[in-house]
């Protein structure tokens, strides 16, 4: 629901990540990692990004979203597993004392800038 | 191809540092064969998109620690009875626990008007000034703190925007989070909005006075909560009749004491 704000943050971070010697170059691709537990709808984000990127160095850039599964580790039996339904107890010993290893990402992994 | 392209960039960079050769170098870079080889440079970024919010949240948390204030972030879907729960809660804990409220809504000051009647300082945030945001971000909280006298505040309650999705994603520097869930909503809300129920420390299951009139399966609701967040305390309350308030208020007071030591 806050995809527009997120799109604007992406543009800010991506623009700041363009190296000094490439200022003004066109960004062709932004590689994102989005955890399945994050409150982001990839389609909406893509739509908002397209609008927000207009008339910036990122206009027309492709937003590549890698969805990251929710994985956890049990603090009691050390079991590591992927959570694919909203049940957050250990798949082996049923303990509720768990630590999430992934699934909350909303990260810019890399950008690809056109060289000329 | 990528290497050639990179060298073009290096040349360009180089002439930037040697201004006397600028024209010549530039010509080489722009007019030389390198320009023909088009490539893409991949730049590793590895940054959280919400970095700016996390940094501001940490700043808020340090501020609250300095001021010795306990901050509670209250979240829920619209219409769960958050404001009524808050009014009744304040009536019980004041004046022993000196409180203040920051209340977020997209529009209107209705909630602030209601809460002001309890006698506590209230700051209303309308996020339409910030683009109609669906959550309170850490920088919005920071701005709202300016008018509050923290010398006389032990507990700051933030009544977040009614929404079970977005507020869960935004740390505001709080010490504890509670989610109000009412029995007029579906039993499976926790399973539908797992992040909210993961990040919270307690659930207030509200409007229990309506249970005789509903087909609500409260055991199923509690089962869903425990599946998403095993061991999380669930306080079954009615903000209207104040049923079940004792356990909730004890939990709140204990949480405050644990931080403030009083």
């Amino acid at each position: 629901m806050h995809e527009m704000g997120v799109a604007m943050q992406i543009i800010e971070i991506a623009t700041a990540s363009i190296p000094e010697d490439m200022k003004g170059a066109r960004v062709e691709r932004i590689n994102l990692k989005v955890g399945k537990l994050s409150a982001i709808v990839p389609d909406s984000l893509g739509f908002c990004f397209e609008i927000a990127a207009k008339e910036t160095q990122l206009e027309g850039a492709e937003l590549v979203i890698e969805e990251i599964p929710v994985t956890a580790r049990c603090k009691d039996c050390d079991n590591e597993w992927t959570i694919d339904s909203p049940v957050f107890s250990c798949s082996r010993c049923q303990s509720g004392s768990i630590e999430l290893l992934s699934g909350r990402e909303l990260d810019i992994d890399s950008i690809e800038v056109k060289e000329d | 191809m990528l290497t050639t392209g990179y060298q073009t960039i290096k040349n360009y960079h180089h002439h930037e540092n040697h201004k006397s050769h600028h024209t010549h170098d530039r010509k080489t870079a722009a007019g030389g064969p390198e320009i023909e080889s088009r490539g893409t440079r991949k730049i590793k970024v590895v940054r959280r998109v919400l970095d700016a919010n996390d940094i501001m949240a940490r700043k808020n948390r340090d501020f609250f620690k300095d001021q010795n204030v306990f901050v509670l972030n209250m979240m829920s879907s619209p219409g769960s009875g958050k404001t009524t729960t808050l009014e009744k809660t304040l009536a019980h804990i004041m004046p022993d626990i000196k409180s203040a409220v920051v209340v977020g809504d997209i529009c209107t000051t209705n909630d602030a008007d209601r809460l002001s009647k309890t006698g506590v300082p209230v700051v209303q945030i309308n996020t339409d000034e910030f683009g109609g945001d669906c959550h309170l971000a850490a920088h919005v909280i920071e701005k709202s703190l300016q008018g509050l006298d923290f010398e006389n505040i032990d507990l700051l309650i933030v009544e977040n925007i009614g929404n079970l999705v977005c507020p869960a994603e935004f740390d505001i520097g709080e010490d504890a989070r509670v989610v109000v869930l009412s029995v007029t909503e579906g039993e499976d809300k926790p399973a539908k909005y797992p992040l909210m129920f993961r990040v919270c420390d307690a659930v207030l299951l509200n409007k229990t006075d309506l249970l005789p009139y509903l087909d609500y399966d409260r055991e199923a609701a509690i089962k869903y909560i425990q599946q998403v967040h095993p061991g999380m305390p669930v306080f079954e309350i009615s903000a209207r009749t104040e049923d079940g308030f004792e356990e909730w208020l004890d939990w709140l007071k204990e949480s405050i004491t644990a931080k403030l030591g009083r």
Side-chain angles (χ1 to χ4, degrees):
Chain A
M1 276 197 232
H2 48 269
E3 278 80 358
M4 187 48 95
V6 168
M8 284 157 73
Q9 284 289 318
I10 290 172
I11 290 167
E12 199 178 310
I13 295 171
T15 308
S17 305
I18 299 170
E20 256 324 291
D21 60 342
M22 292 185 96
K23 289 285 173 235
R26 231 172 53 76
V27 175
E28 295 203 310
R29 196 169 291 113
I30 300 166
N31 297 301
L32 292 181
K33 291 190 169 172
V34 178
K36 282 202 165 162
L37 210 51
S38 82
I40 285 293
V41 181
D43 279 353
S44 307
L45 181 59
F47 177 75
C48 291
F49 176 79
E50 209 180 302
I51 296 168
K54 284 234 160 72
E55 287 166 33
T56 74
Q57 270 172 279
L58 284 82
E59 178 160 2
E62 186 189 356
L63 208 56
V64 180
I65 297 174
E66 183 191 348
E67 274 201 291
I68 308 293
V70 185
T71 60
R73 189 185 70 83
C74 175
K75 288 180 184 170
D76 288 333
C77 78
D78 245 8
N79 176 34
E80 284 185 17
W81 77 104
T82 301
I83 297 176
D84 38 28
S85 67
V87 178
F88 290 75
S89 45
C90 177
S91 65
R92 189 159 70 194
C93 76
Q94 270 65 55
S95 165
S97 176
I98 68 161
E99 167 195 13
L100 288 187
L101 301 175
S102 70
R104 290 205 56 188
E105 295 78 2
L106 181 51
D107 302 339
I108 300 191
D109 183 58
S110 61
I111 58 171
E112 293 174 37
V113 188
K114 187 157 186 72
E115 294 184 307
D116 59 14
Chain B
M1 207 158 100
L2 195 91
T3 315
T4 321
Y6 182 60
Q7 278 167 353
T8 311
I9 298 302
K10 266 180 98 175
N11 285 343
Y12 184 74
H13 191 72
H14 171 81
H15 72 66
E16 285 272 287
N17 294 333
H18 299 86
K19 286 210 161 79
S20 54
H21 300 296
H22 188 264
T23 317
H24 171 75
D25 278 342
R26 192 181 179 91
K27 251 185 167 169
T28 313
E34 299 99 318
I35 195 68
E36 301 301 326
S37 41
R38 301 203 177 267
T40 304
R41 201 199 311 181
K42 191 167 183 170
I43 294 137
K44 217 54 184 154
V45 179
V46 198
R47 262 184 69 184
R48 273 179 55 76
V49 175
L50 302 178
D51 236 10
N53 186 75
D54 293 344
I55 291 164
M56 189 52 87
R58 272 200 294 277
K59 210 181 128 191
N60 287 350
R61 193 164 279 121
D62 289 345
F63 173 81
F64 295 137
K65 198 177 167 207
D66 275 356
Q67 301 293 330
N68 211 25
V69 174
F70 183 86
V71 181
L72 179 75
N73 185 0
M74 266 180 100
M75 297 176 279
S76 79
S77 48
S80 65
K82 207 157 51 271
T83 309
T84 308
T85 304
L86 195 44
E87 283 174 314
K88 297 288 179 83
T89 299
L90 290 168
H92 279 281
I93 61 175
M94 289 285 283
D96 294 351
I97 301 169
K98 289 172 278 178
S99 311
V101 176
V102 171
V103 52
D105 281 294
I106 294 179
C107 293
T108 82
T109 58
N110 296 350
D111 286 359
D113 295 344
R114 280 171 61 186
L115 290 163
S116 292
K117 289 182 186 142
T118 62
V120 306
V122 179
V123 180
Q124 171 87 53
I125 298 171
N126 283 135
T127 59
D128 54 0
E129 295 160 40
F130 303 92
D133 262 352
C134 43
H135 61 273
L136 295 178
H139 74 275
V140 178
I141 296 297
E142 194 238 11
K143 271 189 199 153
S144 74
L145 303 177
Q146 287 158 6
L148 293 171
D149 169 22
F150 282 98
E151 286 284 300
N152 287 306
I153 299 172
D154 300 320
L155 168 66
L156 177 70
I157 300 180
V158 177
E159 187 187 330
N160 218 311
I161 311 276
N163 177 348
L164 283 179
V165 186
C166 313
E169 191 85 86
F170 290 82
D171 185 2
I172 54 173
E174 71 277 66
D175 297 295
R177 302 178 179 126
V178 294
V179 53
V180 183
L181 180 69
S182 62
V183 298
T184 49
E185 301 171 61
E187 293 93 342
D188 59 351
K189 280 278 166 82
K192 283 181 173 165
Y193 303 93
L195 183 61
M196 177 58 78
F197 289 83
R198 280 299 303 173
V199 302
C200 280
D201 302 294
V203 179
L204 298 178
L205 188 59
N206 193 21
K207 306 192 187 180
T208 52
D209 54 306
L210 294 177
L211 281 173
Y213 313 101
L214 304 169
D215 294 326
Y216 193 79
D217 185 347
R218 61 170 275 286
E219 275 172 25
I222 292 168
K223 193 178 133 215
Y224 279 121
I225 294 169
Q226 295 302 331
Q227 277 180 351
V228 172
H229 196 150
M232 176 155 60
V234 180
F235 302 108
E236 296 178 61
I237 61 160
S238 160
R240 196 171 72 87
T241 66
E242 297 180 28
D243 239 28
F245 260 52
E246 218 174 290
E247 290 83 357
W248 148 238
L249 294 174
D250 283 348
W251 181 88
L252 179 60
K253 286 174 194 163
E254 277 165 29
S255 308
I256 297 168
T257 308
K259 180 182 182 184
L260 307 187
R262 59 183 147 91

